[in-house]
Amino acid sequence: MDNEVLDFDIGVGVSSGGDVDDDAIDIEHQDGIDEDDMLDSPMPGFSVGNSDAGNYFPEGDLLDLEPYDGLEFESEEAAKAFYNSYARRIGFSTRVSSSRRSRRDGAIIQRQFVCAKEGFRNMNEKRTKDREIKRPRTITRVGCKASLSVKMQDSGKWLVSGFVKEHNHDLVPPDQVHCLRSHRQISGPAKTLIDTLQAAGMGPRRIMSALIKEYGGISKVGFTEVDCRNYMRNNRQKSTEAEIQLLLDYLRQMSADNPNFYYAVQGSEDQSVGNVFWADPKARMDFAYFGDTVTFDTTYRSNRYRLPFAPFTGVNHHGQPILFGCAFIINETEASFVWLFNTWLTAMSSHPPVSITTDHDAVIRAAIMQVFPAARHRFCKWHIFKKCQEKLSHVFLRHPSFESDFHKCVNLTESVEDFESCWFSLLDKYELRDHEWLQAIYSDRRQWIPVYLRDTFFAEMSSTQRSDTMNSYFDGYINASTNLSQFFKLYEKALESRLEKEVKADYDTMNSPPVLKTPSPMEKQASELYTRKLFMRFQEELVGTLTFMASKADDDGDLVTYQVAKYGEDHKAHFVKFNVLEMRANCSCQMFEFSGIICRHILAVFRVTNLLTLPPYYILKRWTRNAKSSVIFDDDGLHAYANYLESHTVRYNTLRHKAFNFVEEAGKSLYTCEVAVVALQEAAKTVSLAMKNEVTRIIANGHVKESSVTGGKLMCCNEDCQHELPAQLEPEDEMDKKINQLRNELELAKRKCEAYRTNLLSVLKEMEDQKLQVSIKVQNIKISLKDSL
């Protein structure tokens, strides 16, 4: 077979050489790559995982052909493919070692292909000498001399000019050849199958299992799971880059249609695109009303989903999830998240939230510490529970009671001490003290265990239920198979559905008065202020007070501590500290601080202290039916009676509190009791004199009014004082009568102005209600028109 020409029609790429000087013959060495140096990338000169060309396998008489001097090939690529096919059959990997160029035109005229174990690793390389190597790679080069040299003839064909057969190392058996770099290649049919399975949401491991079954063994697949993973990653990157352009076109159109639509792109839109953020006008307006707590949901970043999509969400006055903006996360570095959070903050008029909830992620935490240093950062408890099922699957299988015990420890402990004790008891019970993941989440306990977070507002109805905002706004619309081309339509459908539910809740609140369960003025007051959903939650707490007893546990002057518990359950008591003068109470359960809804324990204390209406402090506007109203209503004008009851109650409670202390001390002996009686008699005289002096002062200041209700009698003008003035103090002088008449006319004018003001506020309130009803009707018409189309 002298000078036999072998023509292999294949599509293997050529290893490129560097620029050369035409005046010299250059020798190029490519000996800087070890067998294990680039396991995740293609070998120079071969298209591992990135070409549709397959490896060449000789057929027929060429099956057992061994290279020899004088063997000719039609091209350099054919020679390279032949040697690599020979290497696969024998059991070693190849690479390009050196090349030689013509001094005339710089064309390559000589190549040397060697065993991948040729030479030795250069330990003085720049990439290693200036830095510490944390995980040194295995030495793979052992100085093997096996090689094939070819040079180009004047005819254009390539001739074998040297062949070294012997190796100084063991060869790889046939069932392991597919692991060698130069033989790892994803064929066209395999790519098609990977693309199909990836589109269905399968991961690399499951796809490799399907390929092994399809081809009849891992050795026949021709590549490893690492190659499959890299191919899928490249696919995803190319697909994302193309789809991001669709997203940018969509955002540009939305911005052109509405100038209040906000979007921003990290980097240049014309070059490499980073993260993308957008927020529609409704999202920005909703944040102004309900932006006190925010959830940044990165669920869709996971491998299960094809979209790097992350929405910012919150909770409206009906307890429904609302949208504060969306992001596409292409780059997941800390700097990129810092950019994203700063951009979102700019879109929301630079008003940071009180609290923010995210997935358990160290990079996101670092970015939040920079952008929202004052916000309380919480990790999503339910995501941690989900991760727990993965990390402790063996414990779940072996101990069915572990899940219940874990939930009780996290959700039902009432204090930090209770949680700490319960946690370590749990670890000891199931022998998990040394579990690394449990140690990690325990170190972060202040950011996800409820008992550490109850002092901060998160707008949740209960500390034990799942937040509706996390991974729920787009539930039912976006799933694991959703791609970006489908995303826009589903995104808009989700927005329409959420708006429809909010309109329905507004309609129910305005047109379906709730049924009251008690004669309490407080319940009636709450029914007129809260939305229907929030009132039902308040009513649950109010009715719950009927089973609780509040007893005084400590009295420190103006601050009284009450023990609140069910009868016979003092060991489960909560403690309420009540400031009599400020009419404020704090409960050990911290429900009001956490959810903005007053708890049954504080309501029980209000009941025993004769507080008939909710103090304004306990009515958060964000939970009321007027949460989105721009009109500021004057509580003094609209709720004068409630304010009168409240101020009267404050005075009554203050006097009663001090009187109880006085009686308790005076009754300890007969002597102190007699002294107290004398003191009370003197006090009664002092109070009577003070009332007369107050009336005299009021007349001197001109604060006297004539009441038609009292038959023309003079009454004190202090709104909190309804005492009739003594007749002997009525002025008799004509001049005084004239002055008093003018003062009465002035007071009458003031009362008329106040009446006009109250009427105006009522008209404005009615206009707001009508505006809301019109909005509801418009939305219903839009929905009906869409349904008809």
Side-chain angles (χ1 to χ4, degrees):
M1 295 181 62
D2 291 344
N3 296 334
E4 179 181 358
V5 177
L6 300 181
D7 183 6
F8 301 132
D9 186 13
I10 59 176
V12 181
V14 181
S15 288
S16 61
D19 295 334
V20 297
D21 189 344
D22 287 340
D23 295 331
I25 297 178
D26 294 335
I27 303 297
E28 295 180 352
H29 294 279
Q30 296 189 5
D31 57 358
I33 302 175
D34 287 350
E35 172 69 18
D36 293 336
D37 278 0
M38 297 180 62
L39 290 179
D40 295 346
S41 60
M43 172 184 175
F46 294 89
S47 302
V48 180
N50 294 293
S51 171
D52 287 333
N55 282 335
Y56 175 79
F57 295 97
E59 299 178 357
D61 295 337
L62 302 181
L63 185 62
D64 299 321
L65 183 64
E66 183 176 281
Y68 56 88
D69 288 346
L71 182 63
E72 281 191 348
F73 300 93
E74 285 294 326
S75 65
E76 174 202 348
E77 291 83 1
K80 183 193 305 180
F82 171 80
Y83 190 59
N84 197 53
S85 298
Y86 165 76
R88 181 183 181 92
R89 189 170 73 250
I90 299 301
F92 67 96
S93 182
T94 66
R95 59 184 172 84
V96 176
S97 175
S98 62
S99 61
R100 190 169 185 169
R101 294 180 179 274
S102 167
R103 63 163 57 99
R104 291 196 309 271
D105 57 8
I108 295 175
I109 59 175
Q110 186 171 333
R111 284 282 196 192
Q112 184 182 30
F113 309 112
V114 299
C115 172
K117 293 182 179 291
E118 179 266 350
F120 298 94
R121 178 178 297 175
N122 184 358
M123 301 306 294
N124 295 320
E125 294 182 41
K126 293 182 180 180
R127 62 177 177 171
T128 60
K129 71 177 182 179
D130 295 331
R131 62 184 175 88
E132 180 184 357
I133 300 176
K134 296 182 179 179
R135 291 183 298 174
R137 295 184 302 272
T138 304
I139 298 295
T140 58
R141 296 195 179 189
V142 294
C144 182
K145 300 295 185 181
S147 65
L148 178 75
S149 299
V150 293
K151 61 181 179 181
M152 188 171 68
Q153 305 298 301
D154 293 338
S155 63
K157 293 182 172 57
W158 288 75
L159 182 74
V160 174
S161 59
F163 171 61
V164 178
K165 177 180 178 180
E166 292 75 19
H167 296 263
N168 66 349
H169 56 87
D170 294 334
L171 299 176
V172 175
D175 61 341
Q176 297 177 16
V177 168
H178 66 279
C179 297
L180 297 173
R181 267 189 56 242
S182 69
H183 307 308
R184 284 158 44 192
Q185 187 176 38
I186 304 178
S187 64
K191 289 182 179 180
T192 301
L193 184 56
I194 293 174
D195 293 343
T196 302
L197 297 179
Q198 184 179 12
M202 290 178 62
R205 186 169 301 174
R206 293 179 61 193
I207 290 178
M208 278 302 296
S209 297
L211 288 167
I212 292 171
K213 186 176 181 180
E214 175 72 18
Y215 284 89
I218 183 66
S219 61
K220 296 182 179 179
V221 172
F223 52 91
T224 66
E225 184 178 327
V226 173
D227 301 319
C228 179
R229 191 181 302 276
N230 290 340
Y231 174 77
M232 292 174 65
R233 182 188 61 209
N234 294 337
N235 257 5
R236 190 160 48 242
Q237 184 176 351
K238 292 176 182 178
S239 174
T240 300
E241 289 174 357
E243 290 180 335
I244 283 296
Q245 292 304 317
L246 295 177
L247 173 64
L248 294 179
D249 292 342
Y250 174 82
L251 297 180
R252 293 188 193 103
Q253 184 61 49
M254 296 296 290
S255 180
D257 294 342
N258 192 326
N260 291 323
F261 186 93
Y262 181 97
Y263 84 97
V265 181
Q266 186 180 16
S268 172
E269 294 186 28
D270 299 328
Q271 300 174 2
S272 178
V273 176
N275 294 336
V276 181
F277 169 79
W278 74 94
D280 61 26
K282 185 180 186 304
R284 302 176 73 185
M285 184 64 70
D286 282 344
F287 181 82
Y289 301 127
F290 310 111
D292 40 19
T293 183
V294 175
T295 295
F296 179 56
D297 185 1
T298 53
T299 304
Y300 302 102
R301 266 196 319 162
S302 64
N303 290 334
R304 195 166 68 89
Y305 292 89
R306 301 183 64 195
L307 296 172
F309 173 60
F312 292 86
T313 57
V315 181
N316 68 8
H317 52 326
H318 299 293
Q320 300 170 331
I322 51 175
L323 196 62
F324 292 149
C326 299
F328 263 74
I329 304 174
I330 311 303
N331 190 331
E332 300 185 11
T333 63
E334 180 181 328
S336 291
F337 279 115
V338 169
W339 173 87
L340 176 60
F341 292 147
N342 277 320
T343 302
W344 176 79
L345 197 57
T346 300
M348 301 300 133
S349 302
S350 299
H351 292 300
V354 173
S355 60
I356 183 167
T357 302
T358 72
D359 197 1
H360 188 207
D361 188 290
V363 176
I364 294 176
R365 172 166 55 184
I368 286 178
M369 290 175 65
Q370 292 186 50
V371 183
F372 309 112
R376 189 71 179 273
H377 181 202
R378 176 179 68 164
F379 297 134
C380 178
K381 177 178 57 180
W382 297 99
H383 281 182
I384 292 179
F385 281 168
K386 185 178 179 182
K387 183 66 69 175
C388 180
Q389 294 174 346
E390 299 175 8
K391 299 289 185 179
L392 301 172
S393 58
H394 62 291
V395 181
F396 278 78
L397 290 174
R398 194 182 312 129
H399 304 287
S401 61
F402 174 77
E403 183 174 10
S404 174
D405 290 344
F406 187 78
H407 278 266
K408 287 177 182 177
C409 178
V410 171
N411 291 321
L412 301 183
T413 46
E414 296 288 345
S415 66
V416 171
E417 293 75 16
D418 289 344
F419 166 74
E420 297 282 347
S421 174
C422 184
W423 179 267
F424 288 108
S425 296
L426 183 76
L427 297 186
D428 290 338
K429 179 179 178 180
Y430 296 101
E431 300 179 351
L432 295 170
R433 282 257 183 179
D434 298 328
H435 197 282
E436 292 185 7
W437 184 78
L438 285 176
Q439 291 176 352
I441 63 171
Y442 175 76
S443 66
D444 291 334
R445 62 193 180 281
R446 289 176 176 82
Q447 289 184 269
W448 69 280
I449 297 295
V451 74
Y452 292 97
L453 298 164
R454 288 176 185 157
D455 61 344
T456 305
F457 182 74
F458 283 96
E460 288 191 21
M461 304 299 175
S462 167
S463 62
T464 59
Q465 73 179 35
R466 177 177 181 177
S467 170
D468 285 337
T469 61
M470 182 61 87
N471 191 27
S472 70
Y473 189 93
F474 291 97
D475 274 2
Y477 296 92
I478 295 176
N479 54 45
S481 63
T482 303
N483 56 41
L484 192 57
S485 60
Q486 301 166 327
F487 171 78
F488 305 121
K489 187 175 182 179
L490 296 175
Y491 165 81
E492 292 180 350
K493 273 191 174 183
L495 263 59
E496 290 175 3
S497 174
R498 290 297 177 184
L499 178 58
E500 181 182 351
K501 290 179 180 178
E502 183 178 342
V503 170
K504 179 66 166 57
D506 285 337
Y507 179 84
D508 290 342
T509 295
M510 299 297 297
N511 297 280
S512 303
V515 177
L516 303 184
K517 297 182 179 180
T518 73
S520 168
M522 191 179 290
E523 184 181 19
K524 187 175 189 305
Q525 174 196 16
S527 70
E528 296 171 352
L529 294 174
Y530 287 132
T531 60
R532 185 177 178 85
K533 175 74 175 291
L534 266 293
F535 171 73
M536 300 298 287
R537 186 67 186 85
F538 168 81
Q539 188 180 58
E540 180 183 337
E541 292 299 311
L542 183 65
V543 173
T545 63
L546 301 177
T547 61
F548 281 82
M549 298 177 60
S551 56
K552 189 184 297 185
D554 185 39
D555 193 337
D556 186 18
D558 296 333
L559 188 65
V560 184
T561 302
Y562 289 87
Q563 177 178 303
V564 183
K566 292 182 179 180
Y567 180 77
E569 297 185 2
D570 291 347
H571 62 288
K572 296 182 180 179
H574 287 82
F575 291 90
V576 176
K577 293 183 178 180
F578 181 45
N579 190 309
V580 178
L581 298 180
E582 297 181 2
M583 302 304 294
R584 289 194 182 185
N586 299 100
C587 181
S588 58
C589 77
Q590 296 182 307
M591 176 177 167
F592 178 74
E593 290 81 1
F594 186 75
S595 65
I597 303 171
I598 194 168
C599 67
R600 60 190 62 190
H601 314 115
I602 294 179
L603 291 174
V605 172
F606 284 173
R607 187 184 71 238
V608 300
T609 54
N610 200 35
L611 189 59
L612 302 178
T613 59
L614 274 175
Y617 172 77
Y618 292 101
I619 304 172
L620 299 189
K621 185 180 179 183
R622 63 118 50 237
W623 289 137
T624 67
R625 56 180 64 194
N626 293 320
K628 300 174 76 171
S629 170
S630 58
V631 177
I632 301 176
F633 298 106
D634 188 344
D635 288 339
D636 292 334
L638 297 179
H639 306 290
Y641 177 67
N643 288 343
Y644 164 70
L645 286 177
E646 184 181 325
S647 61
H648 178 272
T649 304
V650 171
R651 295 195 303 273
Y652 175 82
N653 282 339
T654 302
L655 289 173
R656 188 177 70 165
H657 173 62
K658 294 184 179 300
F660 278 169
N661 291 338
F662 178 78
V663 171
E664 187 175 351
E665 293 296 324
K668 290 182 178 180
S669 70
L670 180 61
Y671 174 72
T672 55
C673 181
E674 291 175 351
V675 172
V677 170
V678 174
L680 286 174
Q681 291 172 349
E682 290 297 325
K685 293 178 182 179
T686 303
V687 171
S688 178
L689 180 61
M691 290 178 62
K692 293 179 181 179
N693 291 337
E694 183 180 15
V695 170
T696 303
R697 180 180 58 79
I698 291 172
I699 292 176
N701 293 333
H703 291 170
V704 179
K705 63 183 180 180
E706 183 177 343
S707 173
S708 59
V709 177
T710 58
K713 296 176 182 178
L714 296 178
M715 306 294 293
C716 175
C717 286
N718 187 342
E719 292 183 359
D720 294 337
C721 179
Q722 300 296 323
H723 297 100
E724 178 184 345
L725 299 185
Q728 64 268 25
L729 293 177
E730 295 181 13
E732 296 179 355
D733 186 82
E734 291 296 330
M735 182 64 70
D736 290 340
K737 288 181 179 180
K738 187 64 176 176
I739 292 174
N740 287 335
Q741 181 181 356
L742 292 174
R743 287 171 177 168
N744 290 338
E745 291 177 358
L746 179 60
E747 289 297 327
L748 180 61
K750 286 182 180 179
R751 289 200 301 273
K752 289 182 178 179
C753 287
E754 185 63 29
Y756 292 148
R757 178 172 171 273
T758 302
N759 290 336
L760 178 59
L761 287 171
S762 298
V763 170
L764 290 174
K765 184 176 184 301
E766 185 178 352
M767 290 174 63
E768 284 290 324
D769 293 343
Q770 290 179 352
K771 177 182 175 183
L772 180 59
Q773 291 180 357
V774 169
S775 174
I776 293 172
K777 291 179 180 178
V778 169
Q779 291 300 328
N780 287 336
I781 291 173
K782 287 182 178 180
I783 292 170
S784 62
L785 286 175
K786 285 185 178 180
D787 292 341
S788 63
L789 294 176

